[in-house]
Amino acid sequence: MAENLDLETIAARTGMVGADLANIINEAALLAVRRGGEQVEMRDLEEAVGRVMLGLEKKSRVMSQEEKERVAVDEAGHAVVALSVKHADPLHRVSIIPRSIGALGYTLQLPTQERYLMTKAELEDQIAVLLGGRTAEQIHYGGVVSTGAADDLERATALVRQMVTRFGMSDPVGPLTYGRSMAGQFIKSPFDVEERNYSERTAETIDEEDRRIVDEIHKRVTEILLKRPEPMERISPELIRKETLERAELHSLVAGGTGKPTSGCLHVKRWSEIPAKS
Amino acid sequence: MAENLDLETIAARTGMVGADLANIINEAALLAVRRGGEQVEMRDLEEAVGRVMLGLEKKSRVMSQEEKERVAVDEAGHAVVALSVKHADPLHRVSIIPRSIGALGYTLQLPTQERYLMTKAELEDQIAVLLGGRTAEQIHYGGVVSTGAADDLERATALVRQMVTRFGMSDPVGPLTYGRSMAGQFIKSPFDVEERNYSERTAETIDEEDRRIVDEIHKRVTEILLKRPEPMERISPELIRKETLERAELHSLVAGGTGKPTSGCLHVKRWSEIPAKS
Amino acid sequence: MAENLDLETIAARTGMVGADLANIINEAALLAVRRGGEQVEMRDLEEAVGRVMLGLEKKSRVMSQEEKERVAVDEAGHAVVALSVKHADPLHRVSIIPRSIGALGYTLQLPTQERYLMTKAELEDQIAVLLGGRTAEQIHYGGVVSTGAADDLERATALVRQMVTRFGMSDPVGPLTYGRSMAGQFIKSPFDVEERNYSERTAETIDEEDRRIVDEIHKRVTEILLKRPEPMERISPELIRKETLERAELHSLVAGGTGKPTSGCLHVKRWSEIPAKS
Amino acid sequence: MAENLDLETIAARTGMVGADLANIINEAALLAVRRGGEQVEMRDLEEAVGRVMLGLEKKSRVMSQEEKERVAVDEAGHAVVALSVKHADPLHRVSIIPRSIGALGYTLQLPTQERYLMTKAELEDQIAVLLGGRTAEQIHYGGVVSTGAADDLERATALVRQMVTRFGMSDPVGPLTYGRSMAGQFIKSPFDVEERNYSERTAETIDEEDRRIVDEIHKRVTEILLKRPEPMERISPELIRKETLERAELHSLVAGGTGKPTSGCLHVKRWSEIPAKS
Amino acid sequence: MAENLDLETIAARTGMVGADLANIINEAALLAVRRGGEQVEMRDLEEAVGRVMLGLEKKSRVMSQEEKERVAVDEAGHAVVALSVKHADPLHRVSIIPRSIGALGYTLQLPTQERYLMTKAELEDQIAVLLGGRTAEQIHYGGVVSTGAADDLERATALVRQMVTRFGMSDPVGPLTYGRSMAGQFIKSPFDVEERNYSERTAETIDEEDRRIVDEIHKRVTEILLKRPEPMERISPELIRKETLERAELHSLVAGGTGKPTSGCLHVKRWSEIPAKS
Amino acid sequence: MAENLDLETIAARTGMVGADLANIINEAALLAVRRGGEQVEMRDLEEAVGRVMLGLEKKSRVMSQEEKERVAVDEAGHAVVALSVKHADPLHRVSIIPRSIGALGYTLQLPTQERYLMTKAELEDQIAVLLGGRTAEQIHYGGVVSTGAADDLERATALVRQMVTRFGMSDPVGPLTYGRSMAGQFIKSPFDVEERNYSERTAETIDEEDRRIVDEIHKRVTEILLKRPEPMERISPELIRKETLERAELHSLVAGGTGKPTSGCLHVKRWSEIPAKS
């Protein structure tokens, strides 16, 4: 193993322990052997993390040029927002190589350490990064969005709903929690449905707040992307050309970027969202 | 096998792999033998695709002349819209020969390649083709529609609902997702019911948007069919005469048609929708 | 077997095949033997169809004279409407002999051939025949209706609901489908309950349309029966006297009738609808 | 057996057949032996019917004088209404001797023959008899009703609801059926719950109609009992004295009564309705 | 056994029979032996009834002085109301000795005989006794109520709901029943949930009537306790001193009381209602 | 064992008995041995209580400095409110050392004795202590709250809901109970869902009252923390430095504090509330 290997950082970033971590190290060893390296190096570990979290690369899947461009615009949108907002996890890699678990592309953010608490501002920035892909599509394609954002919208909706109904982060709704999780209360399955133990009027207030918060963040994301069109214009074609951009490349592309370390998550474009044709 | 066989295209168009694909090739081989051919040719493969996807032809099922005409008008409607809108998959064949899986007729569109993303415009054109059959009936029979459109309406409704509640494609509803799928959350079955985790007011907005989008597309489809009555008038009687029209025939019938390759799906008229008589 | 036997017609009219059809032929053979006939004749087959679909005659069940009159009025109402509207299946027989499956009487319509599609006009005429019994009761008894119409009302309601929510046949509701069947989605049973995936406001529009359509048809049926009181006055007493009237008798009773072949279904008066006495 | 025994009448009146009927005859034979009779007589059969339908007499259960009076007033109310309305089944016996199945008293009406249909007027009279007990209580106790009417109210409510939602007997609701029975659709049990497949506005109309019809009948019952206070005043004390009054006694008590045969059901006062004390 | 033992009275008062009754007699025999008595006496039987219905005394459970006072005020409130209203069951004993089944104290009323019917006035007085504890707390502690009344409120609510929806005792709601019990309709358990088979508007009327009736009774109870503060002031401290007060003591404490026999139930203060701490 | 050991106090404070208590004593013995003590002392017992209730300390879990500060502010908020309100249980210890059961920190209050009743004022103070953490965050971070308060908000909401719907502590809602627990009524699991047996209008009133009460308490907590900023300013940094503060230290830090014994619960900051990153 190369001496600069930092297993603890890998563990902290991925939240993986024990057998999962061992799995990653084995994978990294294999990759090192395959590339003829003498040592397991950091790049091997990082590729191994990607493989375990995302599945194998599926270069055989041929996307149309149009689709590739969509995915590139989308991922570039996530990346630029992740590099622009204050509380995003550091951006690690952006890729448009499909993965076997159903990803059309992904934006990989790895936290610098484990997180136990999140502030309202941090949650809002997380939602902002999620909305970055769709907003980039809107701007680039004159409002003609695609099905590719469904996963991001679902996760943004889940986050904003928790802000409003779990974390007391909406003043009109107030510091109470609404809805009681019924998980585990039925016979077997991980049941994520909530009991609606509140009035229709409260349901309206919750809907309004969900919408208001998402709209405000969407507006902010739109402003970020409109004020700094150059990074988008540079990252997106480069991504189509190289298919994967690492952290250093991204930072150099965002010339005039803040350069400061940023934060984030893994954003995956899936293809399972396309309505089945009969 | 004939050399011009393009198995990859078949795979891409149908989305079939492995055993299903092998099944199609066997079927094609049998068809080639039966017609006394020396090679499995493309037409054998295509007929085989139809057999596997649609079941056997059921020429023994005798429809009344009136019903045949209805089905022909309906399928011609799908075909003309598929040849007129920008984002439909290429039209392959139209038929009014009943099939064993319950089809009264069908319109077969095969995509030129696999699709992973769909834009709002593409979804709207897919809905337009679905509404084509019923709209043709409305025009041809002075508004007296039949039960034959039930399947198309159900699929159009499902698509528009996804546009509004999954893909953020309605501005009044906004870039949030609504309803949480409960599939797999109950004991066994593929349960497609959604949790209604939103207020009655939001439910009204969703209903209004579903309706508005379908109405706009229906209006557009009506205009397409009214502006170009000739293709309808040519395709429908020809379909009654020949029962099946292939791509080339369709394009030549649509003289004055764009000629450019178009897109599409498989539209099947089923007979299961007739209310049972006691 | 008599040479004029037309098994295919029997099959087409009843929708029965295979074992069911064989069952009918056996039954017909027995009936022929019992009546000392040398051949199975059409009348044997038709009686056999009735036996299999309706169960045995239960002449032992003694209805009061009042009840018999009610049933006769009701069946005559179905018959006159079936002979008056344009799209009803041909009327075959009307009877007030109770049957073992719980029928107090029945009106038998047999289609001339299998049907795969139904138009809005045909569905409305089917509802009209269903409402014929109750409307005849209303007219004959000065508005004092009975429990005997429950089955007809339930079937008329189911049909009108399909027109509105499945077949896009109501303009205020539009060409979308509403409600998702949950049949087969729960553990076992044939579960016919629908998910209500629409807003309360849409539910009101659906209710209004169901009501409006039924009211219009009811008004039409009332006009038919009021404009032609003679057939009612002739059929009903004749039915009490003879208990069963065949097609020819019915047509001759409806002097001044259109004479043209008409259409229809089987309308059965059941006795299971009477509220149980404690 | 006495020659005047009319088993068919017993069968028709009770709706019992086969083993149940045999059970009644055995019981009647035992009763005849016990009273030292040489023949099974009609009174033995009738007592046997009561035993099988109502369980054994429980004279050991000691009701307070107040309660006895309440029950007598209640049963007298049923009886007077049964003797006054046009469409009630003939009154057979009234009793305030408790029975083992939980009855505090009962009013026994036996139909003259099996019934297969009921008119709106007949259903309304059936509800009137049901409301007779509570209305008599209201009049006799100056509005201070008791828990004894719960069973009657539940049955009256079930009947009026069927009139409105099953039999099309309410004009504001119209000739459609509302609510789909889910009986047998869940896993096991006789599930009498209905799917509410209609809008809130329709639910309001149904509630209003249920209420209006019951209120009108209640008003009519009140008028019957107020206009003819003598029968009530004669029957009730006589019932407390003799505990059971047979048909002939009842008719002679209702001097000035119509004398014509009337109709009815079995009305049982149960004690299970008293709220349990902790 | 002492000759004055009245087992029938015990049976009538408790509603116990067979094995339960035998259990009580055994318990009484043991108590007689333990106290060195030669005969089982009435006091032994009564203590035995208490043991079986309430579990063993738990003098080891140490309540704070404040809590003891609360419980004493609460039980005194029940007692004074039970002695003041017309239709309460006779008051037998009041105690603040905790019992093993979770009681902090109890008020024991034993009916003079079995009851099969209850009038509206009797139900209202039963609710009045239930509300007596909480109202006494309100008066004594200047409105600062405690969790101790939860059980009483739940039972009062259940009674008033039955008055309104089962017994037709509310004029605005009328003589119909609302809600259909689903008990036993699901797979196993004693399921007390009701089907809501009525409209939202009816639900509001029911809520309003529940509230109005409870408010009126609460007002009456408040007036009873305010008009006669002396009994409260005498009973409550005496209860803290002696822990248990028998019927004779209670009557003598309520000098100026009516002296007439009153009615009642068992009111138990439980501790299970305290919200669990973390 | 040291002579000053007070096992009864431990039992009373924790509510533990039998095997659990024995478990604590064993744990305490091990702790005494490990620290080389000759006797099990009170501090051993108290540490043992913490271990059993909270799990092992997890000093290995490294929180960021920012997170530590958040947790310290939050716990200090609980502590200051617990020391300021009249009815809180005595404060025992505050800690920001993570525990294996998922706690980021905790505030331990131990009651001086078992409690069987709680007054409205006591419940409100319990809610006040629960809101203390979040309010301290709001003040210290200028309104930027975090996910750390989710658990507190959920428990405060559950308490206020019980006040309003179980304990009759809201005048607009009144002395009735609302909602019927369905626990144990379904097949297996501890099902805490309630039947909503009341109207939408009542649901609104309940929501309004829940909100009003929490808002009033939140306002009071804010005033407490704003009027006495010094304790917060002293406790929070000291907590970061020492990680755990015992009762005596807390009281000395709150110079100018009331000094009187206070009340409380265990408030645990968990990390399971952070929205999972994909």
Side-chain angles (χ1 to χ4, degrees), chain A residues 123-129 131 135 160 163 212-223:
Chain A
L123 289 170
E124 285 171 344
D125 279 1
Q126 201 173 332
I127 294 171
V129 176
L131 295 181
T135 312
V160 78
M163 288 175 62
R212 182 188 60 74
I213 293 171
V214 166
D215 279 351
E216 281 174 17
I217 297 173
H218 180 245
K219 202 180 150 200
R220 180 155 64 92
V221 169
T222 308
E223 280 163 8

Side-chain angles (χ1 to χ4, degrees), chain D residues 59 88 92 120-121 123 129-130 155 191 220 249 254 269:
Chain D
K59 293 209 177 181
H92 195 76
K120 192 185 170 193
L123 290 170
V129 177
L130 283 167
R155 280 150 62 191
F191 200 127
R220 179 155 65 92
E249 295 167 291
V254 185
K269 273 320 84 174

Side-chain angles (χ1 to χ4, degrees), chain F residues 7-274:
Chain F
L7 284 179
E8 298 224 338
T9 301
I10 292 290
R13 284 177 181 173
T14 60
M16 287 175 176
V17 290
D20 286 336
L21 201 57
N23 192 7
I24 285 171
I25 294 166
N26 286 340
E27 187 75 29
L30 286 173
L31 288 168
V33 170
R34 220 174 290 164
R35 73 167 169 79
E38 293 185 0
Q39 286 184 319
V40 178
E41 288 177 10
M42 203 59 194
R43 58 176 161 165
D44 299 321
L45 271 178
E46 286 178 344
E47 177 58 25
V49 166
R51 292 207 169 189
V52 170
M53 287 173 71
L54 292 164
L56 294 176
E57 292 190 354
K58 294 276 277 187
K59 292 209 177 182
S60 66
R61 290 220 178 245
V62 187
M63 284 194 282
S64 71
Q65 194 54 32
E66 263 184 34
E67 282 174 331
K68 259 190 191 160
E69 195 189 280
R70 278 260 170 203
V71 176
V73 165
D74 197 290
E75 300 301 339
H78 289 305
V80 171
V81 176
L83 291 167
S84 305
V85 297
K86 202 170 161 188
H87 303 287
D89 281 332
L91 187 61
H92 195 76
R93 187 193 301 155
V94 171
S95 172
I96 62 168
I97 302 175
R99 291 277 176 164
S100 60
I101 59 158
L104 298 181
Y106 61 90
T107 303
L108 186 62
Q109 297 170 275
L110 291 176
T112 42
Q113 60 173 96
E114 270 189 290
R115 298 294 305 276
Y116 301 105
L117 289 174
M118 293 197 76
T119 64
K120 191 184 171 194
E122 287 166 347
L123 289 170
E124 286 172 344
D125 279 1
Q126 200 174 332
I127 294 171
V129 176
L130 283 167
L131 294 181
R134 184 179 179 272
T135 313
E137 271 196 79
Q138 285 182 308
I139 293 171
H140 196 265
Y141 295 103
V144 182
V145 291
S146 77
T147 55
D151 225 52
D152 295 331
L153 299 186
E154 187 151 21
R155 278 150 63 191
T157 301
L159 278 180
V160 78
R161 192 160 191 100
Q162 283 190 287
M163 288 175 62
V164 170
T165 63
R166 298 278 112 204
F167 303 137
M169 290 175 177
S170 150
D171 283 345
V173 168
L176 292 93
T177 60
Y178 292 93
R180 192 156 28 184
S181 171
M182 295 200 281
Q185 294 188 315
F186 277 105
I187 312 183
K188 278 177 189 174
S189 64
F191 201 126
D192 227 25
V193 178
E194 283 186 349
E195 185 196 4
R196 202 207 268 203
N197 57 0
Y198 44 86
S199 68
E200 185 59 32
R201 198 152 74 193
T202 299
E204 281 179 19
T205 310
I206 291 170
D207 278 10
E208 281 162 17
E209 280 297 285
D210 285 356
R211 181 71 196 272
R212 182 187 61 74
I213 293 171
V214 166
D215 279 351
E216 280 174 17
I217 297 172
H218 180 245
K219 203 180 150 199
R220 179 155 64 91
V221 169
T222 308
E223 281 163 9
I224 287 170
L225 293 176
L226 285 176
K227 270 186 198 154
R228 303 179 60 194
E230 302 84 1
M232 277 295 307
E233 281 160 19
R234 271 177 303 224
I235 292 174
S236 163
E238 192 73 6
L239 198 49
I240 294 170
R241 198 156 42 242
K242 293 192 177 170
E243 292 196 305
T244 298
L245 296 173
E246 299 295 336
R247 178 179 190 153
E249 295 168 291
L250 286 164
H251 277 276
S252 74
L253 282 168
V254 184
T258 65
K260 72 167 174 50
T262 48
S263 62
C265 303
L266 178 63
H267 299 290
V268 173
K269 275 317 88 175
R270 295 171 183 278
W271 55 66
S272 61
E273 292 295 336
I274 302 178

